[in-house]
Amino acid sequence: MGTADRNTQGTESDPLLGVTTGGVVGQSRLQDGEDFDNVPRQKRQLGVISTGFLIFNRVIGTGIYATPSNILRSAGSVGVALIMWLVGSLIAAMGTTVYIELGTGLPRSGGEKNYLEFIYRRPKFLATCAFGVYAMITGTATANSVVFSEYLLHAAAIQPTWLNTRLVAFSCLTFICLIHGTALKWGLRLQNTLGTFKLVILSLIACSGILSLIGVPGFQVRDDYEKPQNYEWDKFWEGSGTGANAFVAGLYAIIWSFIGYSNANYALSEIRDPVRTIKRAAPIAMFGVSTVYMLINVAYFAVVSKDDILNSRRIVAALYFRNLYGPTTERALSGFIALSTLGNLLAGQFAQGRVIQELGREGTLPYSSFFASNKPFNAPLPGLFLQYTISTTFLLATPPGDAYIFLISLSSYCSTIINALVALGLLLLHTRAYQAAWKWDPPFRTPKIVVILFFLSNIFLIVVPFMPPAQGSKTYERLPYWSHSITAFAVSIIGVTYWYIWGTWLPRKRGYTLRRVEALQEDGVSHWIFQKDPIAPS
């Protein structure tokens, strides 16, 4: 959207994300990407470091501390578990390159909303309405807020109960909504600080485990605990072959640990020189994440025996600290995990507020002008508050147990469906017909084979959860193993129904047509509104 339109109001002239002045994708790269979206330049406050930490913080939450034992159980052996982490890293790398191409081609906040809307243009606005429902599910912070609460209480030596766990989680969600919605710069500073702290601590954990593996004095497993033999060749592969469903269940846990590589794409309208920045920040951040994850797993298996990992109810990180530094370090670990989770929550909700705001700017949400606004603190407080309301509702209304596993699985499955549609769309954009018709000429190109593999990996992850688990293996205690998969597909019906009622049934019944008009907010940010034009009697 060109800067010449900023003081005007006009009707829609092109379905391409509201671009009205020669805003084809290929032309936007003649600039630095900043002119693609009609926002004041002073709103672009994120550079390479902040953008990198936006991804790094969102990806690394609790997964690397809590999931390795479940992944080892699914893998059966240490060797297969490490292969699964490598596969997860490769899938995340493929996804990162896919989202870099889309982000450089459509450098505007909103992420998948923009890409699905740009690619799947008919029926008009159907993709946006359907995605809106998925966005609110995948953006919920309920599960991680509870994890933060439990670890913080443990660090403070307070026995967690239903009440105090949810009280702390509620306070955490409220704090995040307020700091990102009223004090943007302070929220970013806290986010970056926690990211730096997390990187340093994880690097120290990885290094101490590797020093233990090579036999450096002072980094050996204490005599009170079992010495691991995980890297002896016969032990390394012992237990392999647990079945396809178990393998995919473990892979899902790993993918959940990598969720967030597209996080910066949700805030591109607030990034300086977004094309150049996303091309640098995303690979750096994800290379750092993948390296840390692999080294941490190597360190875990160097210090903790396989039996301890499988049989203990404590998370692997706690066993690791106990074996190297003694049991008194466990509370310090809990405090670190709580801070790590807080950084993850800050990064996730920062981006999620922008997704809701972009849905508001598109004009398809009820009360769109309200959600598109940056008033009164020059931040997307309305969008943050909507996601806060959804997260707190799940927090207070959802019982523990299967419900939390279901929420995590549902969020991961919804993300997989979206990734599959995005990858399929990018494959279409790589065809000559779409390149010519859609004028797709981004400054970064993903190799087609990478897009194909990313698409197939997501299709695989969509299909396999419908296969029954192996005998004796249970996804849930009471729910069917396929419940989150069916629900993920079913929720799209909500968006489709809303689209049909709002865009087709009501206009036909009440005798009007919808015409999209560009408007300018008081803060200088443009958005779209829909006007109802009466149909003249024939």
Side-chain angles (χ1 to χ4, degrees):
M1 192 174 295
T3 55
D5 291 321
R6 293 191 176 181
N7 297 316
T8 66
Q9 185 183 71
T11 59
E12 180 180 19
S13 62
D14 190 308
L16 173 55
L17 299 169
V19 176
T20 58
T21 57
V24 296
V25 178
Q27 290 171 345
S28 71
R29 72 185 177 98
L30 297 178
Q31 310 295 325
D32 51 17
E34 291 189 3
D35 286 340
F36 186 85
D37 193 16
N38 192 1
V39 299
R41 186 156 191 164
Q42 61 267 26
K43 282 186 62 63
R44 296 185 179 275
Q45 303 183 51
L46 304 180
V48 173
I49 293 176
S50 293
T51 303
F53 276 127
L54 191 61
I55 298 170
F56 185 84
N57 260 325
R58 177 66 182 90
V59 176
I60 299 183
T62 59
I64 191 59
Y65 317 109
T67 60
S69 58
N70 292 332
I71 291 162
L72 179 59
R73 192 169 290 109
S74 297
S77 69
V78 172
V80 174
L82 291 175
I83 289 174
M84 289 169 68
W85 278 99
L86 182 60
V87 171
S89 299
L90 292 174
I91 293 173
M94 291 187 291
T96 301
T97 59
V98 165
Y99 278 91
I100 291 174
E101 175 171 349
L102 291 164
T104 56
L106 301 170
R108 172 181 174 173
S109 293
E112 294 96 339
K113 180 203 81 71
N114 299 330
Y115 315 143
L116 297 174
E117 182 179 276
F118 175 73
I119 297 163
Y120 305 106
R121 301 188 183 185
R122 294 290 183 271
K124 206 167 187 180
F125 305 119
L126 173 60
T128 304
C129 293
F131 171 77
V133 180
Y134 280 121
M136 293 174 194
I137 292 174
T138 57
T140 180
T142 303
N144 272 350
S145 69
V146 171
V147 171
F148 167 81
S149 176
E150 290 174 343
Y151 279 107
L152 186 65
L153 290 170
H154 186 267
I158 299 173
Q159 181 66 32
T161 64
W162 187 93
L163 180 61
N164 64 19
T165 298
R166 274 146 188 80
L167 182 61
V168 173
F170 176 80
S171 301
C172 172
L173 292 172
T174 304
F175 167 74
I176 291 169
C177 180
L178 289 176
I179 195 169
H180 277 329
T182 64
L184 176 62
K185 289 185 178 180
W186 281 105
L188 287 172
R189 287 169 184 160
L190 178 60
Q191 210 165 270
N192 292 348
T193 300
L194 288 173
T196 304
F197 173 72
K198 187 188 303 186
L199 179 60
V200 170
I201 296 298
L202 287 173
S203 299
L204 291 175
I205 292 174
C207 289
S208 60
I210 292 170
L211 291 174
S212 177
L213 180 64
I214 63 178
V216 174
F219 292 93
Q220 298 305 300
V221 175
R222 295 187 169 216
D223 294 334
D224 298 335
Y225 307 111
E226 182 182 356
K227 301 293 190 295
Q229 299 175 314
N230 295 321
Y231 290 107
E232 294 181 6
W233 188 252
D234 57 331
K235 301 290 186 182
F236 192 66
W237 300 106
E238 188 178 66
S240 302
T242 54
N245 192 285
F247 184 89
V248 172
L251 201 55
Y252 258 120
I254 293 173
I255 289 171
W256 180 62
S257 300
F258 277 102
I259 284 178
Y261 50 77
S262 62
N263 206 46
N265 294 57
Y266 302 135
L268 284 172
S269 296
E270 298 182 41
I271 293 175
R272 294 189 300 271
D273 194 354
V275 169
R276 174 177 171 272
T277 300
I278 194 70
K279 286 166 65 177
R280 292 187 176 189
I284 291 172
M286 289 310 299
F287 179 78
V289 168
S290 298
T291 301
V292 165
Y293 275 0
M294 290 304 297
L295 291 177
I296 288 287
N297 274 282
V298 169
Y300 285 160
F301 292 128
V303 172
V304 186
S305 71
K306 181 180 177 181
D307 287 341
D308 269 358
I309 294 173
L310 292 176
N311 299 326
S312 176
R313 293 188 176 184
R314 299 159 76 184
I315 64 172
V316 178
L319 298 173
Y320 176 90
F321 271 71
R322 181 203 68 180
N323 286 9
L324 276 189
Y325 306 114
T328 57
T329 60
E330 190 174 344
R331 280 176 57 189
L333 171 67
S334 295
F336 168 63
I337 295 176
L339 291 175
S340 179
T341 308
L342 178 59
N344 177 272
L345 285 163
L346 282 164
Q349 292 308 289
F350 177 92
Q352 194 61 27
R354 274 75 188 164
V355 174
I356 303 298
Q357 184 179 50
E358 290 305 310
L359 288 167
R361 288 182 66 194
E362 206 58 49
T364 53
L365 280 181
Y367 309 104
S368 286
S369 296
F370 171 72
F371 289 111
S373 174
N374 281 300
K375 295 172 62 177
F377 301 105
N378 197 31
L381 180 59
L384 287 161
F385 185 76
L386 175 61
Q387 198 61 55
Y388 164 77
T389 302
I390 294 170
S391 296
T392 53
T393 300
F394 280 139
L395 174 70
L396 300 176
T398 307
D402 277 355
Y404 278 104
I405 299 173
F406 175 82
L407 280 177
I408 291 171
S409 299
L410 176 63
S411 177
S412 297
Y413 200 87
C414 287
S415 296
T416 302
I417 293 173
I418 293 169
N419 283 338
L421 290 170
V422 166
L424 175 62
L426 189 55
L427 285 175
L428 293 174
L429 290 176
H430 281 197
T431 63
R432 291 183 180 179
Y434 269 76
Q435 286 180 17
W438 270 217
K439 298 181 174 64
W440 184 248
D441 185 23
F444 176 87
R445 286 281 187 161
T446 306
K448 185 175 287 189
I449 185 61
V450 171
V451 185
I452 292 171
L453 290 173
F454 183 62
F455 172 68
L456 292 177
S457 68
N458 282 285
I459 293 297
F460 177 75
L461 294 172
I462 287 171
V463 172
V464 172
F466 286 100
M467 297 172 58
Q471 189 71 26
S473 176
K474 294 174 65 177
T475 306
Y476 303 106
E477 289 296 324
R478 297 179 179 86
L479 296 175
Y481 65 89
W482 41 259
S483 56
H484 63 276
S485 306
I486 292 294
T487 304
F489 283 106
V491 295
S492 64
I493 298 172
I494 300 172
V496 173
T497 303
Y498 170 76
W499 165 80
Y500 178 76
I501 293 173
W502 163 77
T504 303
W505 185 76
L506 281 178
R508 185 184 303 158
K509 180 178 177 63
R510 298 181 180 178
Y512 63 81
T513 59
L514 291 172
R515 178 167 55 94
R516 204 163 67 145
V517 177
E518 184 191 17
L520 200 64
Q521 299 174 171
E522 293 180 11
D523 58 5
V525 177
S526 65
H527 70 288
W528 294 96
I529 58 176
F530 283 89
Q531 294 185 350
K532 300 175 181 178
D533 294 340
I535 299 175
S538 56

